[in-house]
Amino acid sequence: MIRDIQGLHHVTSLASDAQKNNDFFTKVLGLRRVKKTVNFDAPEVYHLYYGDELGTPGTVMTYFPFPGARRGRAGIGEVGTTVFAIPTGAVGYWQERLTKAGVANIGSDTYFGAPRLRFSGPDGDAFAVVEVDSDSRDPWTGNGVPADVAIRGFHSTDMRLWDATATAELLEFMGYEKQDQSGSVTRYHIPSGNDANVIDLAQLQASPAAQGAGSVHHVAFAVENRAKQLEVRKALMDTGYQVTPVIDRDYFWAIYFRTPGGVLFEIATNEPGFDRDEDTAHLGEALKLPSQHEHLRDLLEQKYLEPIHD
């Protein structure tokens, strides 16, 4: 069994408009944009990162905003809802804030015993905030959300699967333990992980998902460093998974593999972090390009990457 995974590192999704995406996460949810870079495989498209002050692993939501992208279709074989942790008693604040902002599909319920508020992002993305009474993370408050109600980072994601058996076995191999069950949803967590340490597996009958704007592209799990990542990679390959070589993403190193349920998993390192090329006080302000695309800067800025207004 793998013992090095700490919980979620980041979640990466697709969007249709960079400005709308930026405004939603910074002005509505109150997160900090910690990096403005490009998709390494399609540099004409932004890669935007949002999180806490430093972009701490377990807080970072990232997006590839493909201009005008068609909206995805929800279904099985994908991450469904991305859930953020908020302090106990904060659901009322968020219901009022999201309502005033005109956010769609707001609904409240109690989920696994905790108050939860569900809502949609600009592209129909499925989100929720859930009250947590033991989250030790410091929130970002630079965008005006008070500290006593602000988002702490991720709480969990859920995965929509036709048959959750093989994915459950994978999570247990990755160090997750079965914690609870509610109807067709089984909850797994890492007891000693970071505070973004919960995964819910939802088994349901539905059509396969079709990726597009609003879809989660992949979910990334955190390991401390490159040495631990190589150990995880070997363990996964020894178990029969097809895992990519290590890829340098500038702010972390990454490996990827497809799960039995169809969801793309990444294992990402906590090092070196988002402050490797920007001062902490100015994270996310300048367009940062990977070295292999620096020669394209003028072309990208003039033709493809429309300025994002903060």
Side-chain angles (χ1 to χ4, degrees):
M1 186 177 75
I2 296 169
R3 301 186 184 278
D4 298 312
I5 291 173
Q6 301 171 341
L8 294 176
H9 185 284
H10 64 269
V11 176
T12 294
S13 293
L14 307 175
S16 62
D17 185 277
Q19 185 68 59
K20 290 180 180 179
N21 183 261
N22 178 84
D23 291 350
F24 180 77
F25 282 94
T26 60
K27 298 178 182 178
V28 178
L29 297 189
L31 301 181
R32 185 183 195 187
R33 192 180 71 219
V34 295
K35 195 61 58 180
K36 181 171 64 173
T37 182
V38 295
N39 183 326
F40 284 20
D41 301 315
E44 69 278 7
V45 176
Y46 278 118
H47 194 177
L48 304 176
Y49 293 76
Y50 312 96
D52 67 2
E53 180 180 13
L54 299 176
T56 306
T59 74
V60 181
M61 189 81 207
T62 100
Y63 270 87
F64 299 131
F66 288 86
R70 180 180 298 180
R71 185 167 291 192
R73 183 185 69 239
I76 60 169
E78 68 172 353
V79 170
T81 305
T82 301
V83 185
F84 298 97
I86 57 173
T88 299
V91 156
Y93 170 87
W94 282 101
Q95 183 149 17
E96 180 178 356
R97 183 181 180 88
L98 297 180
T99 300
K100 286 182 177 179
V103 172
N105 301 317
I106 301 171
S108 60
D109 60 13
T110 299
Y111 194 62
F112 285 97
R116 181 180 70 161
L117 190 70
R118 295 170 284 104
F119 56 96
S120 295
D123 289 297
D125 332 42
F127 292 116
V129 290
V130 64
E131 292 187 359
V132 177
D133 61 6
S134 59
D135 197 306
S136 61
R137 294 171 290 184
D138 293 325
W140 170 250
T141 58
N143 289 328
V145 178
D148 61 344
V149 293
I151 288 171
R152 267 44 185 173
F154 293 125
H155 171 269
S156 59
T157 64
D158 69 28
M159 299 180 191
R160 300 167 177 164
L161 307 170
W162 182 269
D163 184 346
T165 304
T167 302
E169 292 175 354
L170 170 61
L171 288 179
E172 291 173 354
F173 181 68
M174 291 169 59
Y176 282 80
E177 298 178 1
K178 183 177 178 179
Q179 183 181 41
D180 204 351
Q181 186 154 356
S182 177
S184 62
V185 181
T186 306
R187 171 157 290 184
Y188 292 83
H189 78 131
I190 294 182
S192 59
N194 61 25
D195 287 303
N197 60 351
V198 174
I199 298 290
D200 291 334
L201 299 185
Q203 188 165 290
L204 67 160
Q205 295 182 351
S207 300
Q211 283 208 337
S215 301
V216 172
H217 183 268
H218 64 267
V219 57
F221 298 84
V223 292
E224 187 62 33
N225 53 43
R226 297 181 71 186
K228 297 296 186 183
Q229 183 183 62
L230 290 175
E231 293 176 12
V232 171
R233 183 175 186 270
K234 182 179 185 304
L236 288 168
M237 293 183 69
D238 287 347
T239 309
Y241 286 96
Q242 302 297 312
V243 186
T244 68
V246 176
I247 302 172
D248 184 358
R249 296 303 193 194
D250 278 5
Y251 311 106
F252 49 86
W253 283 270
I255 56 175
Y256 303 87
F257 66 102
R258 187 72 62 176
T259 68
V263 179
L264 182 62
F265 276 11
E266 174 184 346
I267 309 296
T269 62
N270 292 345
E271 58 179 8
F274 293 100
D275 58 355
R276 68 175 295 271
D277 59 0
E278 285 183 296
D279 182 85
T280 299
H282 299 285
L283 288 180
E285 295 180 4
L287 175 64
K288 295 296 181 179
L289 297 178
S291 57
Q292 65 268 33
H293 296 320
E294 186 59 51
H295 69 286
L296 299 173
R297 178 175 291 274
D298 289 345
L299 173 66
L300 295 175
E301 292 186 322
Q302 293 171 16
K303 184 175 181 180
Y304 294 105
L305 303 176
E306 293 188 9
I308 297 174
H309 304 287
D310 296 324

